[in-house]
Amino acid sequence: MTARRCTAENAWAILLTAIGVWELAAPPNQLLSEGVDRAIQRRPIVTRALIAVTALHLANLLPRQVDPFTILLRVLTPCLRLLRSVVSHTTRAPHA
């Protein structure tokens, strides 16, 4: 059996499905847009800035040097590699 490929298209399908399910099953006043409304009331500038930066990132309109998502990934990638190597090393079966 071959492993399924992780693709951006699959990730979008999962995200959109999860959003749709949440919007259909959400408790009263807990739609995602209603949560954003509450966040805007508490911290309007930060909330709108996060939405704008995310939209600019998804549209590839931010230079890589200033794109916070790209910067975060650049910082976290070595940490994730290290974590994976530690986990794989500690979960290997001992040699007989």
Side-chain angles (χ1 to χ4, degrees):
M1 179 189 300
T2 59
R4 290 182 184 220
R5 286 196 48 201
C6 294
T7 65
E9 292 77 11
N10 290 346
W12 276 113
I14 291 166
L15 282 168
L16 293 173
T17 300
I19 290 168
V21 167
W22 180 261
E23 295 291 301
L24 288 171
N29 304 313
Q30 294 304 315
L31 295 175
L32 295 173
S33 58
E34 293 168 328
V36 170
D37 290 341
R38 289 189 293 275
I40 288 172
Q41 287 177 345
R42 286 190 305 273
R43 293 180 171 232
I45 294 171
V46 171
T47 303
R48 288 188 173 111
L50 288 171
I51 292 167
V53 166
T54 301
L56 290 168
H57 167 78
L58 292 173
N60 289 315
L61 294 174
L62 289 175
R64 295 180 70 77
Q65 311 88 284
V66 299
D67 183 335
F69 290 95
T70 301
I71 294 167
L72 184 63
L73 183 62
R74 197 176 308 132
V75 168
L76 291 181
T77 298
C79 299
L80 293 173
R81 284 190 187 126
L82 176 63
L83 181 61
R84 282 188 197 123
S85 71
V86 168
V87 168
S88 71
H89 179 73
T90 58
T91 57
R92 285 188 202 149
H95 295 294

